[in-house]
Amino acid sequence: MADASLYTITRASKIKSVASLEPRWVRFLLTLSALLFLVFFLLIPLIAVFYQALKAGFGPYFGALKDPDAWAAIRLTLFTAAIAVTANLIFGVFAAWAISKFEFFGKNFLITLIDLPFAVSPVISGMIFVLLFGLQGLLGPYLAEHDIQIIFAVPGIVLATLFVTFPFVARELIPLMQAQGSEEEEAAIVLGAGGLRTFFRITLPNIKWGLIYGVILCNARAMGEFGAVSVVSGHIRGLTNTIPLHVEILYNDSNIVGAFAVASILAFLALVTLVIKTAVEGQVRGEISDRAKKGALS
Amino acid sequence: MAFKFKKNSVLPGFGMSLGLSLTYLSLIVLIPLSSLAFKTGADLTWSQFLSTITSPRVLASYRLTFLASAVAATINGIFGLLVAWVLVRYTFPGKKIIDAMVDLPFALPTAVAGITLTALYSKNGWIGRFLADAGIEVAYTPLGIIVALTFIGLPFVVRTLQPVLQDFDPQLEEAAASLGATRLKTFTAVIFPNLLPALLTGFALAFARALGEYGSVVFIAGNMPMKTEIASLLIYTKLEQYEYAEATAIALVMLVFSFIMLFLINGLQAWNARRQS
């Protein structure tokens, strides 16, 4: 039996190498054109960011980074991203628990609603908060009376960022926890563990890589969001500028080196995100198959 | 049997987790989004709404947005298929790094992509210089918009095609080959029809993303009304001029199109999943 299956595997792979491969020159041409496309659209832009930033040497580069307005932008971006990631992480875990562990009416509709912010254009994502909280907005008169400022201030930036990064953690966790099933949690509860203990001892270790994956993507978007934040920010230097908005201001001032110096922080962040994402991806796949294997054994 | 909202389960926390999720969803997403419809209903009559969205400048921006997005998504369809094919089927040095790099447009903030592409494609940029010699201007023309939209849509087609190509049953190709089909015939008659649902899904995802894109486009577009002004930018401009009613009307139309795309993509993904199983 084992010999027969081994035989078919080697046979299949032999046939594959003969029948399903293109002639050498076709393979070469296809690979070359794919790589050329990627060089022009990915590699050259990536190199260009760092080249433009360091064009005038390290002095002007670090000068642009040490500027107090740049520091204020970096602080605001870190503050906003910290809130957005924390809030959406908590929401993501709760939503994924409700959706993956229980069968209830309207579940698929709820999943569609969670994905909704991905379908909304960035400018519209910012604009809806202006329509709610702006001076001419639905709640505008009330807020003005009580001297509360949301639009053109930090709360607006946080809200817009919360909106655009809303689905990231939830949409990573929902399919992962659905694929893992809930037998282990049920066993823990039946054996007398409490709900919190079950979550921290059983669920969390099983989903930790998926969680990290969602957080990484959520954080990258939170720090890099431009359109939505631009609408609600008002572009007040030192007060309501995030890093991407600071890049825009420097660029529009024709301070090209400064703009690219600050942009290089974001490009570096993108590279770090890609490295972590690639490293974590394999672990997430492992989380799905490990649990499936355990299920098959029991 | 009577209607039951939820099936029984021994696990705790259903009420709390669903309740918290729905509250947060309503506060951050549903209530803010519905303000768009309220505001349009409150500020505009039907005829004002129609005259706003059919004014020449608005129509020109819709046309440009849709055309540029369609061209960019098509380029991504063709090259995305090529890149996915090469990454799954062939081996070459540096393949893993290149595979990881495909996600760069997802990770790179749009403003950074915008200023970088503008620097590259302007008349004295690394790439624009050679194109200018050939008489082609990219930056500050509709071509620039297409370049930016191609960049941000690049990962969609590659990432939807890769798993389908990976799981493709080699026996289908073997059967075609043993029946005497040439490699090209096998591709067009056997492989391509099986890839089509995923290819269309990737195309639709790239197209939907391009429709709403703002950050990467504003720097390279030049933003001339009637010529290089995309819908997102027009909404932004109207907001800056405090013409909220017009901005909401233009935005509402774009939002409806986004939701139609979402619906279409869900349908395509279901088709794709059926083809896979």
Side-chain angles (χ1 to χ4, degrees), chain A residues 15 20 22 27 41 45 49 51 88 91 95 97 103-105 119 121-122 127 131 136 162-163 230 235 277, chain B residues 5 7 11-12 14 17 21 24 28 32 35 39 90 103 116 118 126 151 173-174 183 212 236 244 248 258:
Chain A
I15 291 175
S20 59
E22 291 71 41
R27 271 183 284 159
F41 272 94
V49 179
Y51 172 81
N88 288 329
F91 157 75
W97 180 267
E103 288 302 321
F104 58 92
F105 178 75
S121 140
M127 167 181 182
L131 295 181
Q136 301 176 40
L162 278 173
F163 180 92
S230 180
H235 302 91
K277 179 177 172 291
Chain B
F5 174 69
K7 269 195 198 162
L11 295 179
F14 176 73
S17 58
S21 302
Y24 185 68
I28 298 294
S35 72
K39 199 69 180 156
Y90 304 155
D103 280 328
T116 310
T118 312
W126 288 352
F151 175 83
E173 290 168 66
E174 285 155 19
R183 195 63 198 134
Y236 192 94
Y244 285 6
T248 27
S258 298

Side-chain angles (χ1 to χ4, degrees), chain A residues 12 15-16 19-22 27 30-31 33-35 37-38 40-42 44-49 51-52 87-88 91 94-95 97-98 101-105 110 112-113 116-117 119-124 127-132 136-138 152 159 162-163 166 182 185-186 189 195 224 226-227 230-231 235 244 247-248 251 259-260 263 266-267 270 274 277-278, chain B residues 3 5-7 9-14 16-18 20-22 24-25 28-30 32-33 35-36 38-39 75 79 82-83 85-86 89-90 92 98 100-105 107-112 115-120 126-127 140 147 150-151 154 170 173-174 177 183 212 214-215 218-219 232 235-236 239 242 244 247-248 251 254-255 258-259 262 266:
Chain A
I15 291 175
K16 194 178 175 220
S20 59
L21 262 188
E22 291 71 41
R27 271 183 284 159
L30 290 179
T31 312
S33 28
L35 290 182
F37 175 74
L38 293 180
F40 269 93
F41 272 94
L42 297 181
I44 294 182
L46 188 62
I47 295 170
V49 179
Y51 172 81
Q52 298 277 353
N88 288 329
F91 157 75
F94 277 118
W97 180 267
K101 303 296 177 197
F102 303 96
E103 288 302 321
F104 58 92
F105 178 75
L110 179 60
T112 309
L113 286 183
L116 214 53
V120 179
S121 140
V123 170
I124 299 179
M127 167 181 182
I128 54 179
F129 291 100
V130 176
L131 295 181
L132 261 187
Q136 301 176 40
L138 296 169
F152 307 141
L159 279 172
L162 278 173
F163 180 92
F166 181 87
S182 37
E185 283 86 356
E186 280 161 6
I189 295 286
F226 176 71
S230 180
V231 174
H235 302 91
V247 170
E248 185 198 21
Y251 187 84
F260 277 98
L266 292 171
L274 283 187
K277 179 177 172 291
T278 311
Chain B
F3 170 78
F5 174 69
K6 165 188 168 274
K7 269 195 198 162
S9 163
V10 295
L11 295 179
F14 176 73
M16 187 181 74
S17 58
L18 188 69
L20 273 173
S21 302
L22 288 178
Y24 185 68
L25 176 76
I28 298 294
V29 178
L30 300 181
L33 258 185
S35 72
L36 199 61
F38 278 124
K39 199 69 180 156
I75 297 173
F79 283 94
L82 180 68
V83 170
W85 180 270
V86 166
R89 297 246 162 166
Y90 304 155
F92 48 90
I98 292 164
M101 279 277 294
V102 168
D103 280 328
L104 181 72
L108 194 71
T110 52
V112 179
I115 62 168
T116 310
L117 291 173
T118 312
L120 283 175
W126 288 352
I127 301 174
Y140 317 120
V147 167
T150 306
F151 175 83
L154 195 151
E173 290 168 66
E174 285 155 19
R183 195 63 198 134
Y214 173 76
V218 280
F219 296 98
S232 290
I235 297 168
Y236 192 94
L239 280 176
Y242 295 100
Y244 285 6
T248 27
M254 290 310 287
L255 197 65
S258 298
F259 287 166
L262 185 71
N266 278 344

Side-chain angles (χ1 to χ4, degrees), chain A residues 253-283:
Chain A
D253 284 351
S254 298
N255 182 353
I256 303 298
V257 168
F260 277 98
V262 179
S264 74
I265 308 176
L266 292 171
F268 183 70
L269 170 80
L271 287 179
V272 172
T273 303
L274 283 187
V275 170
I276 301 178
K277 179 177 172 291
T278 311
V280 169
E281 235 153 16
Q283 304 283 353

